[in-house]
Amino acid sequence: MTSYISPPTVRIIHSGHACNVEEERYTERVYTIREGETLELACLVSGHPRPQIRWTKTAGSASDRFQDSSVFNETLRITRIQRLQGGRYYCKAENGLGSPAIKSIRVDVYYLDDPIITVHQSIGEAKEQFYYERTVFLRCMANSNPPVRYSWRRGQEFLSQGLDKGVEIYEPFFTQLQGETKILKLKNLRPQDYANYSCIASVRNVCGIANKNVLFKLSNKTASPTIKLLVEDPIVVNPGQTVTLVCVTSGGDPTPTLTWVHSTDELPKKSVLNGGTLTLPAISIEEAGVYSCVASNNVGNPAKKSTTIVVRGLKKGRFWITPDPYHNDDNIQIGREVKISCQVEATPPEELLFSWLKNGRPLRSSERMVITHTDPEVQPGTTNLDIIDLKFTDFGTYTCVAVLKNGGIPEISIDVNISSTTVPPELTVPRDKSPLVVQEGDTVELQCLVSGKPKPIILWSRADKEVPMPDGGLQTESYDGALRIVNVSREMTGTYRCATSQYNGFNVKPREALVELTVQYPPAVEPLFTEIRQGLGRAFTLNCRMLRAHPSKVLKYEWKLGTRLLTMGQLDQRDETDYHVRALNREGYGEYTCEVTNEAGAGACRFLVTGRAYAPEFYYDTYSALWQNRPRVYGFKLQWTQQNPLSVDRIVAYRLGIKQTGQSRWWEQEIPMEGAIAKGELITHNLTELIKPEAYLVRLTPITRFGEGDSTDRTIRYSAPVNPHLREFQCSFEDEAVCMFTQDKTDDFDWTRHSAATRDTKYTPNTGPSSDRVGSKQGFYMYIETSRPRLEGEKARLLTPTFNVAPKSPYGTVTSSPTYCFGFYYHMYGKHIGALNAYLRQKGQSGADSSVWTLVGNQGDRWKQAKVNIHPTASFQLVLEGIRGPGIEGDIAIDDVTIEEGECKDPPHNNLRSLSPPTAHHIWQFLVTLTLVFVGHQR
């Protein structure tokens, strides 16, 4: 029995607003489109089961991803396409059989931006009169694809190299891209050089993109910009103040444009920009920095002047005590020296002022009480109080006060107590706080007890490895010695270090302690869920595997069916457990669960054992599936295969449901099945009495003795049959599948499906049709595009489907050669027209294709018909070959291809050539409703 299961094949066709599609045999397929138009690419696939389709994109930049995702659809549509969306697009089709089928097309987005003229004078010749007897360079640039062509005009006069000795036009040698720029050089300015200059940028009207131009007026007043800032530098303000920066132009022609930029690249969101005035309301410390005014008029270099805004403030007040800096002693002792340090960050640092108090009274520097300050511009501002020869009367509270000398900012004051109870810190970990064992997801508190006075800030970090703490930093500060972790995870297992910092405590060697944390978590198992489909009486095995757990010892397992316990045990040295079913009965259907447990909880494998049949898979490659034998109704040949038919009990019937789209009522019937269904077996059921032109939703459900299986849906849509007269083949190329015509793989380039509505006739004028054969600009036809990069003599061949010659004798032999009439319309207009040939290709004949018709040269701007009798003796194809002539005005088009039984009636008078006709015979193999059989198609 023939299996209809087949791997996928794929090809890409295009619609939308293409300017041109080039089929480049040795490189790539290029689809050209204008920026802002709609890109539409369709991926036509064959194969069974129906392949899944995925569009992806690569471009020149590895970071440029196709909208950071893929498109799972047959049609890729991008409205208002932008230049960065150009690149190579891939269509990938896969159905699990063989390798995926992949085709690609490169999308080239065409655009032309407005050109810009910049003006410069020769280096070293600048004086007060900027352009008096000077050499001036006018440079024109425009972003474009394809490369732009530039031309210059002075007034109404076009300028070209060599016509005026005072003018040179050239591209600089350092240009990286062709057509990147064009420079107009005016040597030793003359009076006639003061004029209006126009730069015209052109991409030669490809994709209908019009030329763009820009005008620059050159005069003896033309000058580069100069500006003035009407503000101080720096500007020192308090937080919350409104700051206004004013920038004015002091020179430049044309009038310069003013902009403001911040050192962080972006202006604050609440800033207000009005011409050259920038207002910053309620300024904050984060908005401080350098602000620059930039003036540009495309003459010379932009002018730039900057000012710095300083927002005043105090923050981060800290202290530390250094006992006896000279004797390496950690304790404060009478008769020894004690040093108290206080640190504050100040903006601006030069305004920082410190003062000291003892027990609330001002303290001045003396021989025993020495007050010093560090240079705030070198490091954060620090003040030190050295108490020489500590006495009992020196015990008390010392306060350092930090202020900014111009006021307006709250002061920072720090109290430090010096007494007999001021002792360095010690760290201990409570006996029950290490090691700590917790469950994943708990909230845990790691505790270090801090003794001493004053109590310093505690720094927590990982001791076993250098990884971030739960808050993301390498260290976490704690003022009470505790580290709290919410929703603890298994990755947080390890050793944690608590250590004293020098801040707000003693400047001595840090004290440290360690805490061990163990996070337990339940077993992770696989599979989490699996569906198993089985028929009655069959044997199968369920397997549950433990991946990881902590603790990983003393693991128990239980197998259940629903709530009923089947078996239990313990995983000793193993990491998996099996459950065997020797012969499945009806009570054996249901959900099986395997639970693996430890102290932290349980992990479960779940298995749903069912006798449900898999879904059927509709066959989409049925030839002539739709037929019409009455005017108002139509029929449809519904075909499908069954997915994994042998995995469950025999399918006894299918339930067919059908409803008209948009309606709610379903009609149902059962289709009985005799015998077992083989894998890949094609099942057929004819749908009749469908109302034209309505569409229908069809639902197919397999039925076994277990019950209903999985359903699958398909929408049936009416379309005019390819073969409306039933005894002929006819194709007008309106359908994207082009009636199963294929491109010859051995030719030089391909035929292209097009319509006059989407083809840009301006790209190659004076050739090609302005409509399809019936005069419609929306109608489609096939044509050969002879523009770049095609060469004279290159060939494009288009193949019809393969047709059977049906035997008429009872012994299966063809009694004599039948006759068919092969007809088509052609359009051969243009002074460079090459040739159009038709050949007959027959199965089993290894020689060259037989020529049946040929025509050479320009035939005028109109469609003409060709008809020729053919006499195949075996399965056959017709080959239409277009040959490129000596130039680009040589597009050849075809439309309305027909193949009919019998000799041609009233063939047109042209140079068609026919083989001698024998007696006509009826050859069609199908019933009266169908006459031609596609036995296959090439890809």
Side-chain angles (χ1 to χ4, degrees):
M1 179 179 294
T2 302
S3 174
Y4 282 81
I5 295 175
S6 60
T9 63
V10 63
R11 62 192 179 101
I12 297 174
I13 64 173
H14 52 83
S15 55
H17 299 155
C19 306
N20 186 42
V21 177
E22 297 179 1
E23 307 288 348
E24 299 186 3
R25 179 178 178 187
Y26 297 108
T27 53
E28 57 190 345
R29 194 169 176 213
V30 183
Y31 178 104
T32 304
I33 188 170
R34 180 174 175 172
E35 187 173 50
E37 300 288 3
T38 297
L39 169 72
E40 193 166 294
L41 300 173
C43 197
L44 297 186
V45 299
S46 66
H48 186 73
R50 185 73 164 169
Q52 295 292 318
I53 298 174
R54 179 185 182 192
W55 283 97
T56 56
K57 172 180 180 282
T58 59
S61 166
S63 64
D64 181 13
R65 292 292 178 260
F66 177 36
Q67 301 172 349
D68 296 325
S69 65
S70 301
V71 173
F72 293 87
N73 199 352
E74 291 186 6
T75 301
L76 169 66
R77 181 181 174 87
I78 302 176
T79 57
R80 298 188 59 79
I81 191 169
Q82 301 301 303
R83 62 194 65 178
L84 294 179
Q85 292 173 303
R88 181 178 289 278
Y89 287 83
Y90 292 86
C91 174
K92 179 179 180 181
E94 52 187 338
N95 63 358
L97 300 174
S99 300
I102 301 175
K103 290 290 184 182
S104 69
I105 187 170
R106 183 165 65 84
V107 176
D108 201 3
V109 181
Y110 278 6
Y111 59 90
L112 174 61
D113 291 344
D114 291 329
I116 297 173
I117 293 178
T118 56
V119 183
H120 299 271
Q121 70 168 342
S122 55
I123 299 174
E125 297 187 66
K127 293 185 179 179
E128 292 182 2
Q129 295 181 350
F130 189 80
Y131 285 106
Y132 182 68
E133 292 185 355
R134 295 291 178 263
T135 297
V136 174
F137 301 87
L138 280 71
R139 178 173 180 168
C140 187
M141 292 188 65
N143 296 320
S144 74
N145 182 36
V148 70
R149 289 182 182 176
Y150 300 95
S151 56
W152 285 97
R153 194 168 62 197
R154 178 167 54 198
Q156 299 300 317
E157 173 195 7
F158 276 97
L159 299 175
S160 58
Q161 180 68 24
L163 293 182
D164 187 334
K165 293 183 179 180
V167 176
E168 288 185 19
I169 301 175
Y170 64 95
E171 291 184 9
F173 70 90
F174 54 80
T175 298
Q176 297 181 0
L177 301 175
Q178 178 186 0
E180 180 181 344
T181 185
K182 185 77 77 174
I183 292 179
L184 177 67
K185 180 180 180 182
L186 305 175
K187 299 179 291 185
N188 296 324
L189 283 182
R190 303 160 299 180
Q192 64 265 35
D193 293 330
Y194 294 117
N196 292 332
Y197 289 86
S198 297
C199 171
I200 298 96
S202 173
V203 289
R204 299 159 301 286
N205 205 40
V206 297
C207 283
I209 300 176
N211 296 345
K212 295 188 176 182
N213 63 79
V214 61
L215 178 70
F216 185 86
K217 182 179 180 180
L218 182 66
S219 70
N220 58 1
K221 296 181 180 180
T222 300
S224 57
T226 57
I227 55 174
K228 292 181 180 179
L229 287 185
L230 306 183
V231 293
E232 298 178 355
D233 184 32
I235 303 172
V236 181
V237 296
N238 291 333
Q241 284 186 238
T242 294
V243 180
T244 300
L245 306 178
V246 180
C247 177
V248 296
T249 59
S250 55
D253 186 56
T255 303
T257 301
L258 298 177
T259 57
W260 280 94
V261 294
H262 187 212
S263 52
T264 60
D265 294 332
E266 291 186 5
L267 293 175
K269 291 183 179 180
K270 60 186 177 181
S271 61
V272 179
L273 185 60
N274 184 13
T277 301
L278 175 65
T279 302
L280 304 170
I283 196 166
S284 64
I285 293 177
E286 292 75 22
E287 294 168 348
V290 178
Y291 287 79
S292 301
C293 176
V294 181
S296 175
N297 65 352
N298 290 338
V299 179
N301 295 318
K304 179 178 179 180
K305 288 196 174 181
S306 305
T307 186
T308 302
I309 297 179
V310 177
V311 180
R312 303 169 72 244
L314 293 171
K315 61 180 180 179
K316 288 189 178 179
R318 290 179 168 181
F319 75 91
W320 59 92
I321 303 169
T322 306
D324 198 359
Y326 306 106
H327 291 84
N328 196 25
D329 198 331
D330 289 351
N331 294 289
I332 295 175
Q333 298 184 31
I334 299 294
R336 297 279 184 91
E337 180 179 340
V338 176
K339 182 178 181 180
I340 305 172
S341 302
C342 184
Q343 186 181 79
V344 173
E345 291 185 13
T347 305
E350 62 270 14
E351 287 191 21
L352 178 61
L353 297 176
F354 281 113
S355 60
W356 284 89
L357 306 176
K358 179 184 178 184
N359 298 326
R361 296 181 179 180
L363 186 66
R364 297 183 181 279
S365 185
S366 63
E367 290 185 0
R368 274 200 336 105
M369 300 282 184
V370 181
I371 299 174
T372 57
H373 306 300
T374 61
D375 186 350
E377 295 187 358
V378 176
Q379 60 183 9
T382 304
T383 181
N384 301 304
L385 172 61
D386 279 294
I387 305 175
I388 311 298
D389 188 16
L390 181 68
K391 300 182 183 301
F392 183 78
T393 55
D394 295 328
F395 288 169
T397 299
Y398 292 84
T399 305
C400 77
V401 181
V403 298
L404 295 181
K405 64 181 179 182
N406 292 324
I409 302 297
E411 66 180 28
I412 291 180
S413 61
I414 303 171
D415 293 335
V416 183
N417 186 265
I418 301 294
S419 68
S420 58
T421 60
T422 303
V423 294
E426 294 297 335
L427 283 181
T428 58
V429 177
R431 184 170 299 177
D432 61 343
K433 291 295 183 178
S434 183
L436 274 177
V437 179
V438 298
Q439 305 292 320
E440 191 171 41
D442 289 350
T443 296
V444 63
E445 184 174 280
L446 281 61
Q447 185 70 56
C448 275
L449 298 180
V450 187
S451 62
K453 185 179 180 181
K455 290 185 178 180
I457 297 172
I458 302 301
L459 300 178
W460 283 93
S461 60
R462 291 291 292 264
D464 52 347
K465 49 189 173 182
E466 190 172 339
V467 294
M469 295 291 286
D471 63 358
L474 289 177
Q475 288 186 330
T476 300
E477 291 187 355
S478 172
Y479 289 85
D480 60 359
L483 174 65
R484 295 173 185 85
I485 304 175
V486 179
N487 192 22
V488 67
S489 64
R490 63 192 67 180
E491 294 81 12
M492 296 177 185
T493 294
T495 305
Y496 290 77
R497 177 189 295 112
C498 62
T500 59
S501 73
Q502 70 171 12
Y503 298 116
N504 298 358
F506 275 71
N507 183 22
V508 295
K509 182 178 179 181
R511 273 57 169 166
E512 295 184 354
L514 300 177
V515 177
E516 292 288 340
L517 176 64
T518 300
V519 181
Q520 294 183 343
Y521 53 91
V525 297
E526 69 174 11
L528 295 178
F529 177 81
T530 297
E531 184 183 65
I532 297 175
R533 305 202 183 200
Q534 286 288 347
L536 292 172
R538 301 183 187 180
F540 61 92
T541 299
L542 307 179
N543 174 269
C544 183
R545 187 162 69 93
M546 193 275 294
L547 301 176
R548 66 192 74 86
H550 191 83
S552 58
K553 296 181 179 180
V554 194
L555 292 167
K556 299 179 180 179
Y557 67 85
E558 289 184 348
W559 282 94
K560 293 181 180 180
L561 174 55
T563 58
R564 178 164 60 93
L565 180 65
L566 300 174
T567 184
M568 58 188 300
Q570 185 168 311
L571 294 177
D572 297 323
Q573 304 300 321
R574 299 174 298 153
D575 60 0
E576 61 183 357
T577 173
D578 294 334
Y579 183 75
H580 303 281
V581 176
R582 291 184 175 84
L584 180 65
N585 56 29
R586 288 191 176 275
E587 291 72 27
Y589 287 121
E591 183 171 280
Y592 292 74
T593 304
C594 175
E595 282 195 352
V596 182
T597 60
N598 65 359
E599 297 176 22
C605 298
R606 294 171 54 237
F607 305 87
L608 179 61
V609 178
T610 176
R612 288 174 62 90
Y614 287 96
E617 297 171 317
F618 283 116
Y619 187 67
Y620 287 84
D621 295 332
T622 305
Y623 172 64
S624 293
L626 186 147
W627 75 87
Q628 179 182 341
N629 51 18
R630 299 210 311 274
R632 309 180 85 177
V633 298
Y634 68 99
F636 191 88
K637 183 190 295 185
L638 190 69
Q639 294 186 304
W640 68 91
T641 61
Q642 176 60 41
Q643 181 182 357
N644 301 326
L646 304 179
S647 63
V648 295
D649 292 327
R650 183 179 73 83
I651 294 170
V652 296
Y654 285 92
R655 177 168 289 114
L656 174 68
I658 184 169
K659 76 181 184 77
Q660 191 173 314
T661 55
Q663 303 293 324
S664 58
R665 185 176 181 182
W666 285 86
W667 298 89
E668 292 188 344
Q669 72 175 102
E670 281 199 1
I671 307 172
M673 292 286 110
E674 299 293 337
I677 299 173
K679 184 177 179 64
E681 178 182 346
L682 193 64
I683 306 167
T684 301
H685 179 80
N686 289 331
L687 303 175
T688 59
E689 303 301 318
L690 304 179
I691 300 172
K692 172 185 174 182
E694 301 296 336
Y696 292 84
L697 179 63
V698 176
R699 177 168 296 161
L700 205 56
T701 308
I703 301 173
T704 66
R705 57 179 173 167
F706 176 85
E708 291 190 355
D710 293 344
S711 300
T712 187
D713 293 352
R714 177 179 181 179
T715 299
I716 305 298
R717 302 185 187 278
Y718 175 81
S719 60
V722 173
N723 191 358
H725 301 301
L726 303 180
R727 302 190 66 79
E728 67 176 20
F729 170 81
Q730 191 274 339
C731 184
S732 57
F733 305 110
E734 299 304 316
D735 183 66
E736 291 179 341
V738 293
C739 313
M740 299 178 70
F741 275 76
T742 55
Q743 308 281 356
D744 192 336
K745 295 182 179 180
T746 63
D747 58 6
D748 301 303
F749 64 109
D750 286 348
W751 288 78
T752 302
R753 176 177 175 266
H754 243 311
S755 71
T758 58
R759 180 168 179 244
D760 184 0
T761 56
K762 296 180 180 178
Y763 186 78
T764 309
N766 303 321
T767 188
S770 58
S771 67
D772 73 350
R773 199 274 301 179
V774 297
S776 170
K777 291 189 178 295
Q778 306 300 323
F780 284 85
Y781 52 85
M782 301 294 287
Y783 89 111
I784 60 168
E785 171 61 65
T786 56
S787 303
R788 182 186 65 83
R790 302 279 67 86
L791 302 174
E792 183 175 3
E794 288 187 334
K795 300 175 181 179
R797 282 190 288 269
L798 189 67
L799 311 179
T800 70
T802 301
F803 301 105
N804 274 344
V805 174
K808 304 304 284 187
S809 77
Y811 304 102
T813 58
V814 179
T815 56
S816 61
S817 297
T819 300
Y820 306 99
C821 179
F822 172 48
F824 58 93
Y825 284 83
Y826 60 88
H827 190 284
M828 301 172 67
Y829 168 56
K831 63 182 180 181
H832 300 135
I833 290 290
L836 178 61
N837 299 316
Y839 297 95
L840 177 66
R841 177 178 296 181
Q842 301 192 66
K843 183 178 180 181
Q845 297 186 7
S846 58
D849 299 336
S850 302
S851 175
V852 296
W853 187 93
T854 185
L855 192 61
V856 179
N858 185 4
Q859 303 299 315
D861 188 9
R862 59 187 178 276
W863 287 96
K864 295 183 178 182
Q865 188 181 26
K867 286 186 177 182
V868 61
N869 293 323
I870 59 173
H871 316 287
T873 58
S875 298
F876 67 94
Q877 291 174 285
L878 276 305
V879 182
L880 287 162
E881 177 186 72
I883 302 178
R884 203 259 198 190
I888 64 173
E889 296 182 18
D891 295 353
I892 297 175
I894 60 171
D895 201 359
D896 289 354
V897 178
T898 60
I899 304 175
E900 299 175 331
E901 271 191 294
E903 294 187 4
C904 296
K905 299 176 182 179
D906 302 321
H909 297 286
N910 56 20
N911 64 332
L912 61 84
R913 184 175 61 196
S914 173
L915 301 178
S916 58
T919 305
H921 289 271
H922 297 291
I923 64 163
W924 306 116
Q925 188 176 14
F926 278 3
L927 299 176
V928 68
T929 53
L930 292 177
T931 56
L932 292 177
V933 184
F934 293 175
V935 297
H937 53 87
Q938 300 177 356
R939 292 284 182 184

